[in-house]
Amino acid sequence: MSYSTKLLDSVKKKSIGESEFHQALTELLPTLEPVLNEHPEYIKAKILDRLVEPERQIIFRVPWVDDSGDVQVNRGFRVQYNSALGPYKGGIRFHPSVSLSIMKFLAFEQTFKNALTGLPLGGAKGGADFDPKGKSDREVMAFCQSFVNELYRHIGADRDVPAGDIGVGTREVGYMYGQYKRLTGVHEGAFTGKGVPYGGSLGRTEATGFGAVYMLENMLAANNEDFRGKRVVISGSGNVAIYAAIKAAELGATIVTLSDSCGYISDPAGIDIDSVKEIKEVRRGRIKEYLEFRKDAEYFEGGLVWSVPCDIALPCATQNELLEDGAKALVENGCKYVAEGANMPTSIEAAHILQAGGVFFAPGKATNAGGVAVSALEMSQNSMRLSWSFEDVDAKLRDIMKNIFDSCYETSGQYGKKGDLIAGANVAGFKKVALAMIMQGTV
């Protein structure tokens, strides 16, 4: 039995029921065996044994008062996973599904994602089992302020810098940052994803979606191709999906699907993104309302987009949305590129089916690193009291995504099969974190 397999078995026994965290470890640990064979000092220093345990897990109650005057209580989390490369950095998610397992898997992935950017950032993730949907602005503000009443003790510009994620946008970040300022009396870059008028960065809203497309741009270029004439299926209709669709269309692709938790729309003529933005960003409505704008489009209740023929697929919704049947459908319908816009949206089995079927596949820790990359640029602007133009930020983002692709692609050739970006991303990210841990000692 290999070292990584023994370690994985040990973790599963100690963290019973944490299926998402186990999945993240199962995807990463076996790919590191060639590195461990090459660097026995990593085994001696117990680097992996230390990496499978977060440095800190914070769980707290969040009481708040709704518009009816009733007290509600939610559970909040912050998992500060690894700080070898710099202060903890990672988003906050508000969604009923939030659990310790999901927070640990996201923080674990964030550690290597941040390493791949080449920026001095550790990995963390936080959130609460609070659902902002259907809540008034006052209720969301009350919850965010109560959440920060506990969280503020554990964060700061040089300690841990949260950002947004599912259910947490500029509104929520604003409420949290405002409370942080009241409690600490400090105006600093303790959050990213802030509004532009008070320290936010231009380009942050677009960053994760644009970054995913820039990753695909490099994948296509490696095969002497580009986006022109390509048909793209995208799952989700939130921030990542919308801005990935905008950038891919700008580069010549036709976006044929978007989805939400109720179903998906298919528009062979190309999705009208302005209509989707009206539905999702203004109305906060459901994707089926798209039929009001485009009568020739179709809506499929409860369906998944993977059966729609395409050249490129971008899973941008949530974890484990692309499973084995979906992967088989993509391969059978001629899909050639898949890049994960969301965190771990593809199961391990599905990813192997895609790779075996000749699909060029990029994992989320590489593909969706654009968000944290621009968050780091926001931190730099805050520290220097500067504000860069959208064009400057976007150019820096494009360079960062190219560097991530190059690192993953080159590393894949050194530790396995050239073009296996799963192994390439895992090893490239791990080596940066492991080296920093070795240099900093074991205490």
Side-chain angles (χ1 to χ4, degrees):
M1 186 181 289
S2 69
Y3 177 75
S4 61
T5 301
K6 290 179 183 178
L7 183 60
L8 182 59
D9 288 345
S10 172
V11 173
K12 287 181 177 179
K13 290 175 182 176
K14 289 196 293 184
S15 54
I16 296 170
E18 296 180 0
S19 58
E20 294 87 0
F21 181 53
H22 298 165
Q23 182 180 341
L25 294 177
T26 302
E27 186 269 330
L28 182 134
L29 294 183
T31 64
L32 302 181
E33 286 293 338
V35 188
L36 298 176
N37 293 334
E38 184 180 68
H39 294 278
E41 67 271 22
Y42 293 165
I43 296 177
K44 183 178 180 180
K46 296 292 181 70
I47 294 297
L48 273 185
D49 299 68
R50 290 151 64 187
L51 270 172
V52 298
E53 290 289 343
E55 292 177 3
R56 191 174 295 107
Q57 302 174 70
I58 304 156
I59 304 176
F60 52 97
R61 70 183 181 197
V62 188
W64 57 284
V65 179
D66 67 21
D67 286 344
S68 299
D70 295 325
V71 175
Q72 304 292 336
V73 181
N74 289 91
R75 179 175 287 183
F77 302 87
R78 188 68 177 172
V79 176
Q80 295 174 331
Y81 208 98
N82 188 282
S83 59
L85 295 179
Y88 303 109
K89 184 81 188 78
I92 290 175
R93 174 178 295 192
F94 292 163
H95 192 273
S97 68
V98 164
S99 66
L100 180 60
S101 175
I102 288 177
M103 292 295 98
K104 286 173 70 175
F105 121 65
L106 289 170
F108 180 76
E109 289 281 296
Q110 193 77 44
T111 297
F112 303 104
K113 181 189 304 183
N114 293 357
L116 286 172
T117 68
L119 301 167
L121 299 172
K125 207 73 176 185
D129 58 355
F130 169 78
D131 190 354
K133 289 182 180 177
K135 305 293 193 302
S136 69
D137 285 347
R138 193 213 65 81
E139 288 176 318
V140 172
M141 180 176 68
F143 178 83
C144 289
Q145 290 174 341
S146 182
F147 185 83
V148 171
N149 284 345
E150 174 60 34
L151 186 67
Y152 87 96
R153 299 173 175 86
H154 311 289
I155 63 174
D158 295 310
R159 184 177 184 182
D160 182 358
V161 183
D165 193 77
I166 293 172
V168 177
T170 304
R171 174 184 64 168
E172 290 77 16
V173 169
Y175 292 150
M176 287 190 284
Y177 183 64
Q179 188 71 352
Y180 177 84
K181 269 203 317 173
R182 293 182 193 97
L183 293 168
T184 63
V186 176
H187 197 306
E188 62 176 4
F191 283 81
T192 58
K194 301 184 295 296
V196 172
Y198 60 95
S201 176
L202 292 168
R204 177 60 187 90
T205 301
E206 298 86 351
T208 308
F210 278 22
V213 172
Y214 294 151
M215 173 60 73
L216 273 165
E217 189 175 40
N218 285 283
M219 294 165 68
L220 287 158
N223 289 333
N224 298 312
E225 294 189 84
D226 58 33
F227 272 100
R228 288 176 294 183
K230 300 291 191 299
R231 298 179 69 78
V232 181
V233 301
I234 298 178
S235 66
S237 52
N239 182 70
V240 180
I242 286 174
Y243 288 100
I246 288 172
K247 179 55 67 172
E250 180 184 306
L251 295 175
T254 300
I255 314 304
V256 294
T257 69
L258 286 172
S259 68
D260 62 18
S261 58
C262 294
Y264 75 91
I265 53 170
S266 175
D267 190 344
I271 299 289
D272 178 11
I273 304 300
D274 288 338
S275 298
V276 175
K277 291 184 73 176
E278 167 68 23
I279 294 163
K280 288 295 181 177
E281 297 181 351
V282 179
R283 297 184 185 180
R284 298 182 184 269
R286 309 307 301 177
I287 198 66
K288 65 183 177 182
E289 297 171 30
Y290 181 79
L291 300 186
E292 299 173 19
F293 297 86
R294 297 285 282 265
K295 303 299 182 184
D296 293 336
E298 291 185 275
Y299 173 71
F300 298 87
E301 185 78 22
L304 297 172
V305 302
W306 317 121
S307 60
V308 178
C310 65
D311 303 294
I312 297 169
L314 270 165
C316 293
T318 190
Q319 65 263 17
N320 289 326
E321 58 170 314
L322 175 51
L323 304 179
E324 292 174 72
D325 287 346
K328 290 174 183 176
L330 286 171
V331 171
E332 289 169 2
N333 286 324
C335 180
K336 295 300 181 186
Y337 299 87
V338 174
E340 295 184 319
N343 291 300
M344 207 168 70
T346 311
S347 70
I348 297 168
E349 297 79 10
H352 291 163
I353 289 169
L354 292 169
Q355 290 181 316
V359 175
F360 201 179
F361 179 86
K365 64 173 63 71
T367 302
N368 66 35
V372 73
V374 174
S375 281
L377 299 180
E378 181 176 331
M379 292 167 66
S380 297
Q381 292 172 80
N382 293 166
S383 296
M384 295 186 289
R385 299 294 191 266
L386 294 176
S387 181
W388 297 330
S389 70
F390 179 91
E391 290 74 20
D392 284 343
V393 172
D394 192 48
K396 288 179 170 66
L397 170 62
R398 206 165 199 156
D399 286 344
I400 289 169
M401 297 310 299
K402 184 180 188 309
N403 290 338
I404 291 173
F405 173 80
D406 289 345
S407 175
C408 296
Y409 195 65
E410 290 166 10
T411 303
S412 72
Q414 297 168 8
Y415 294 93
K417 181 182 177 183
K418 188 74 174 254
D420 180 357
L421 298 186
I422 296 176
N426 290 345
V427 171
F430 169 75
K431 288 184 73 174
K432 290 183 179 181
V433 176
L435 181 59
M437 292 174 70
I438 287 280
M439 295 176 74
Q440 292 172 29
T442 58
V443 177

